[in-house]
Amino acid sequence: MPVPGAYEPELEFSDPSAVRETALFSFNPLVWLYFMLSFLIVPYPIYQIVAKRYNWETNNKTLARHWSDVMLGLSYGTILFVFGNYTRAYSWITVVAFYPSLFGYALIAELPFTKTSLPNIKNWPFGMWAVFLTAVAIILAFAAFHIYWAATLALPFVIYYVCSLLIPIFLMVVSLTLIKENNENYIRTKIHNFRVSRLASKKPSKKNDEEQQQEAEESSSVAPVTQQESAVPELHNPYTRKLSLHLHHWQIFYMLAFFTRFTHPVSQVGSGIVLACYMEGICAYGYDQLLND
């Protein structure tokens, strides 16, 4: 059995100074602890105190809901830390950018014209559109920089980096498919219609004259039941509630936080901003669902 060298880590934790920017995942327990303290454990209670002091809009959470949100925060945060390569990307710049962004986003959310949600987009006032379009422009500017920076790194990193956008797209498509299936019985209807058309396309078996005459005599004494009706059960809809899609801002910015994974100061500032917007949603409202019934 090989013996570890004098400086070889036995537990195989990632060394923050040795992890490359192109690493798809990494983990160091000490940096993970700093990450959780900076972006969850410390800001969560501070936000609750400040929000209550200034009467900001929040969900009325029970102690159990607070505990649930913190546990989910640890789970979601660990996934982000590992696959966002924050062992390498975590820095004081991200922390400094985080706290002003956290409370700045909260103040913007308290403006009268921003007290609305994405599903109500058709009724947005002009002020909400101005804030939304400004945010989209900032996100696109950061996205352009990050794709450019990823392209300067060794191949094939930029391919993985850009193609990873397919993951949230896939999850959104699955969500929309579930809504269509639940609300319209879509997939079950397609399967049912396929079975009916398949049975209808089958040719009847050839029978001699005696068998046809015997079946005719028997059918005259009982109610006619077609082969299709006996073979294909009646279409059943097991869904009793309608589903709707509600995309929350915590979900959008949590996804973006996987892409602000570089050591460049612009990326670290962007990381602080998206982590702050994500955590504002969690502190104020919790982990609300994407699909609602």
Side-chain angles (χ1 to χ4, degrees):
M1 181 176 179
V3 179
Y7 299 98
E8 183 177 349
E10 296 186 28
L11 299 179
E12 298 297 335
F13 291 135
S14 303
D15 181 0
S17 61
V19 174
R20 297 180 180 180
E21 284 195 305
T22 55
L24 297 182
F25 53 86
S26 59
F27 181 78
N28 181 280
L30 183 59
V31 183
W32 174 85
L33 179 60
Y34 294 155
F35 182 86
M36 289 300 174
L37 285 170
S38 301
F39 305 129
L40 174 65
I41 298 174
V42 171
Y44 189 90
I46 291 177
Y47 188 94
Q48 303 302 322
I49 295 171
V50 175
K52 185 176 181 180
R53 172 66 176 82
Y54 292 100
N55 198 28
W56 289 350
E57 181 183 35
T58 59
N59 281 350
N60 186 19
K61 299 182 182 181
T62 63
L63 189 59
R65 179 62 188 271
H66 281 300
W67 180 248
S68 175
D69 284 344
V70 171
M71 292 298 100
L72 287 172
L74 291 171
S75 301
Y76 279 93
T78 300
I79 294 172
L80 175 61
F81 179 83
V82 172
F83 292 99
N85 197 27
Y86 278 92
T87 294
R88 172 70 174 176
Y90 175 84
S91 77
W92 65 268
I93 298 177
T94 302
V95 178
V96 170
F98 174 83
Y99 285 89
S101 300
L102 175 65
F103 295 105
Y105 188 98
L107 290 173
I108 293 174
E110 287 299 308
L111 297 174
F113 50 81
T114 60
K115 290 182 177 294
T116 184
S117 59
L118 191 59
N120 195 36
I121 189 171
K122 294 181 179 180
N123 301 318
W124 278 2
F126 172 78
M128 182 59 197
W129 275 109
V131 171
F132 174 76
L133 293 177
T134 302
V136 170
I138 294 173
I139 290 172
L140 291 177
F142 271 103
F145 171 81
H146 280 78
I147 293 174
Y148 159 75
W149 191 258
T152 64
L153 301 176
L155 288 173
F157 174 74
V158 67
I159 299 174
Y160 284 98
Y161 186 77
V162 175
C163 289
S164 59
L165 287 169
L166 294 174
I167 297 175
I169 293 174
F170 169 76
L171 295 176
M172 182 61 67
V173 170
V174 171
S175 300
L176 294 173
T177 303
L178 290 174
I179 291 174
K180 191 173 184 63
E181 163 63 11
N182 183 90
N183 295 352
E184 302 178 15
N185 206 18
Y186 183 77
I187 298 177
R188 288 172 174 268
T189 301
K190 290 292 184 182
I191 295 175
H192 178 81
N193 292 340
F194 172 76
R195 294 176 63 188
V196 170
S197 61
R198 185 179 178 185
L199 288 173
S201 64
K202 287 184 178 179
K203 295 182 179 180
S205 58
K206 295 182 180 180
K207 300 178 182 180
N208 54 39
D209 295 340
E210 293 181 359
E211 290 177 339
Q212 292 180 359
Q213 183 178 1
Q214 182 178 359
E215 287 182 359
E217 292 175 355
E218 293 176 354
S219 63
S220 62
S221 59
V222 296
V225 178
T226 64
Q227 181 182 4
Q228 177 178 318
E229 292 174 342
S230 60
V232 181
E234 183 180 354
L235 180 61
H236 173 62
N237 186 354
Y239 311 112
T240 58
R241 296 182 178 181
K242 295 290 185 180
L243 288 182
S244 62
L245 183 76
H246 189 160
L247 185 61
H248 299 274
H249 69 273
W250 80 260
Q251 296 158 346
I252 297 172
F253 290 104
Y254 177 77
M255 180 271 296
L256 293 176
F258 284 91
F259 296 90
T260 54
R261 56 191 299 127
F262 305 125
T263 57
H264 192 284
V266 173
S267 181
Q268 292 177 340
V269 170
S271 177
I273 294 173
V274 295
L275 285 170
C277 297
Y278 153 64
M279 275 308 301
E280 193 279 335
I282 304 310
C283 294
Y285 307 106
Y287 286 90
D288 291 334
Q289 300 175 355
L290 180 62
L291 298 184
N292 298 311
D293 55 9

